[in-house]
Every structure is written in C-alpha cells, then in structure tokens.
C-alpha cells in the first residue's frame, strides 16, 4: 500500500455547491450571488499561516480540496491555496493533490487550470450511471455528462477516482452488479462506493420519514455490499477500506492518513483537523457558515471555534474506529502505545469466534467482511 506511515495531510474545504443534494449533510451552501473568490483565497492564506504556527515545520504527504464543490473554484483560487500550503510547510514533489469535482461543473479549460496549479488527482461525483437514479439523487448531471467528465479527467490528470452511491430504492442485485461492471469499464484505478444513508436534517430524511420512498432492508443491503466486494475484487480493484477500492498502490494517500490515524490540518469553513501540538493530539474545527468564517479569519487570523486535547483513551478509540475500516487493519502495538493497555484477549476471542475480526500475522487485527457491516458495534465492544 502507498507508503506505510500515517502522514501529515492538508485539507481545504470549499463550502459552496450549485444545488443542495437531498441526501447530503456535508457543509455545503448554495449562494445566488457570485462568491468573492479573492476574499476566500486571502482568508485561506491567512488560516493556513495560523495553522503553520501551531504545527511547526512539517513535510506534507497529501493535499485534498474537498467540499462542497471545489470544481466551482477558479483555477487561480486553487493555485493561491496550493502556493500558500507550499509557503508554510515542505511540499515534496509529486505528492498527491486531489480536487473533488462534480460532472456538472466540469469545463476542460478549468480542469487544465487545476492541473497547471498542481492538482494531480481528481475525485468525480458520478453517483449513478442511470439517468432516473441521478434525478432521484437530485444531481444536476446526466450519464452522458458524467462519462464526458470521466474521459476529460482521464486525459488531463494522472490519477482519477469517482464516487457512486448504491443501495438506492428498488435497486436489485442484478442492476447494481451490471452498473458496477460498467463503472469499472470507465474507471481508472480508484472507486469510492457508498451505500445511500439517510442523514438527519436532509430532505431525504423528511421524505423517508413520510414513507415517500423505501430503501433496501438490512439483508438486501448486505447482499449489495457483498456484490460490491466480489465484483471489484474480481476486476482488480479490491476494497482497501469499507467504501474505497483501488488497484494495489493506487489507494488515496490522503484518506489513508485519516484511517491510519495520521495528522492533518483542516482549513476553510467547517473543516476539522487533528494534529500533535505540545506532544498531545488535538482536534480543531472551524465555523461552518462561510460568511462568518470569513469574518473570523479576517479579524482573528483563523476561524477555529472549537477543539480539544484528546485523552489517551479517546485517541485509542478513534484509532480503532478509523483503523478497522481498513483491509490492512490496525497495529496492536500502536493501540497499546496510544491507550496504555492491550485489547482484551477474551473479547477478541469472542469477536473472532463470531467471525467479525481476524488476526493479520502476530501484530495486526482486521475486521472481516461481516465485521465491516457492523463495525460500530465491533469497535464499541473492543473499546470497552
Ligand atoms: C460531500 S460529497 C463532495 C463531492 C462533490 N460535491 C460531489 O457531490 O460529488 C462526497 C461524497 O459523499 C457521498 N455522500 C454524501 N452524502 C451521502 C449519503 N447520504 N449517502 C451516501 N453517500 C453520500 C457522495 O458519493 C459524494 O460524492
Ligand atoms: S453531494 Fe456534493 S454536490 Fe451535492 S450537496 Fe453535497 S457536497 Fe454539494
């Protein structure tokens, strides 16, 4: 897998979208007036400099521009942000620099501009490969636009991933399997495949509560998940994380940093960070409302409105929760170093007997495919 060190990533959040998708509870906002990108670029520069004061000098292992819809950023805005990262920390040549893009906001010229600014990987929000489901998901693109965006991205960027959402209403195993095969025909070397979840506060939450649509039940969802594992593995893109699939070596370096419990700074409205300060791991989170975040950064130098120093046991719990999402699992010694105690052998034996976890050699532990489906419960049990 791509290096084995947890790493130090930089996450930049662009909080605007052309429309709000009915399933999405990410920090994304629709604005009918043009966004002042100059002002945002300056604020990103300011907040990055403040973060640098806190982390000290570091070697960056990846940069991720997420959203929202970062493909609504002007290439000049992206260039200013990437330059600012390089001014504050060491950015070795060739590190992974990802930008999330929506197929509806793709223009060849902008893509070339992102590439010139330094972006070398794009993550495209394709979501479905049939028009009826794209409409249901509230997306602004159709299948032919998605395929065009994939083609263009493959031409311009060295690396490409795209996202699909499955376990949609009425989706049969046969239909999903065929759609997934088609997706892999178009894929480069990475896919993110998420089961549709109903998040509180979204339009889907209201509609679902009012029985306007139904989702596959637990058994059907488990079957769709199993198909996802089988089809992707057979086609050379096995899961390296619950929802992420890659040809070996093409895993997302940035996301591995989260799951391997590395360090990252989070900049922009609603961004989270986790890094070591004065020898302890601290959490930061910033003001979510874009305009309020701007005001804070312009007056105080940052939009951080909260955070805490994690206790050893909180750190250990987070390490378990993140690491067991990975096919490579967790390093048991690292758990012991973080928490000051070993995982309980009797509890591990029970979970292993139930087929939910499995050892990897003598020093690692992973969740099995059945364990992944009930991972929160497995982690809660292990962490007790
Ligand atoms: C927050 S979006 C940002 C990227 C970009 N704006 C887009 O929509 O493609 C990241 C990904 O999370 C996934 N996602 C968001 N909400 C979800 C939900 N409720 N259920 C399943 N997947 C979801 C989608 O696949 C989406 O591509
Ligand atoms: S899924 Fe993507 S495009 Fe849709 S609202 Fe969320 S962030 Fe915006």
């Amino acid at each position: 897998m791509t290096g084995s060190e947890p790493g130090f990533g930089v996450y930049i959040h662009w909080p605007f979208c052309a429309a709000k998708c009915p399933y999405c509870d990410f920090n994304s906002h629709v604005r009918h007036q043009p966004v002042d990108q100059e002002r945002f670029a300056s604020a990103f520069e300011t907040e990055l400099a403040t973060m640098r004061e806190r982390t000290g000098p570091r070697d960056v292992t990846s940069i991720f521009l997420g959203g929202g819809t970062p493909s609504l950023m002007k290439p000049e805005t992206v260039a200013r942000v990437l330059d600012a990262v390089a001014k504050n920390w060491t950015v070795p040549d060739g590190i992974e620099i990802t930008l999330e893009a929506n197929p509806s906001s793709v223009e060849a010229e902008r893509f070339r501009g992102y590439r010139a600014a330094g972006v070398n990987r794009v993550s495209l929000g394709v979501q479905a490969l049939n028009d009826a489901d794209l409409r249901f998901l509230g997306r602004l693109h159709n299948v032919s636009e998605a395929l065009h965006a994939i083609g263009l991205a493959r031409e311009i960027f060295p690396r490409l991933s795209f996202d699909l959402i499955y376990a949609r209403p009425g989706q049969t195993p046969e239909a999903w399997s065929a759609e997934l095969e088609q997706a892999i025909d178009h894929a480069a070397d990475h896919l993110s495949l998420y089961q549709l979840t109903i998040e509180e506060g979204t339009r889907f939450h209201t509609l679902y509560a009012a029985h306007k649509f139904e989702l596959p039940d637990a058994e059907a969802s488990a079957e769709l998940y199993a198909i996802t594992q089988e089809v992707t593995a057979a086609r050379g893109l096995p899961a390296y994380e619950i929802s992420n699939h890659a040809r070996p070596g093409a895993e997302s370096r940035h996301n591995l940093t989260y799951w391997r419990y590395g360090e990252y700074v989070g900049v922009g409205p609603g961004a989270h960070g986790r890094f070591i300060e004065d020898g302890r791991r601290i959490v930061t989170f910033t003001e979510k409302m874009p305009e309020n975040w701007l005001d804070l950064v312009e007056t105080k130098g940052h939009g951080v409105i909260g955070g805490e120093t994690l206790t050893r046991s909180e750190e250990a719990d987070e390490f378990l929760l993140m690491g067991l999402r990975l096919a490579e699992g967790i390093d048991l010694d690292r758990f012991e170093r973080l928490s000051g105690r070993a995982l309980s052998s009797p509890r591990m034996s029970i979970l292993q007997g139930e087929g939910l976890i499995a050892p990897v050699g003598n020093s690692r532990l992973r969740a099995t495919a059945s364990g992944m489906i009930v991972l929160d419960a497995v982690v809660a049990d292990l962490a007790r």
Side-chain angles (χ1 to χ4, degrees), residues 242-276:
I242 297 184
S243 309
N244 283 276
H245 302 255
R247 291 199 196 288
E251 299 85 0
S252 157
R253 183 71 190 80
H254 190 82
N255 288 334
L256 279 177
T257 293
Y258 298 150
W259 299 316
R260 285 178 176 160
Y261 211 45
E263 295 175 82
Y264 54 98
V265 293
V267 166
H272 289 232
R274 265 168 182 67
F275 51 87
I276 309 289

Side-chain angles (χ1 to χ4, degrees), residues 106 111 122 124 148-160:
V106 161
F111 262 19
V122 157
L124 264 182
H148 171 72
I150 291 172
L152 201 59
R154 291 195 66 163
E155 216 177 282
I156 296 174
F157 297 96
R159 296 175 66 193
L160 164 77

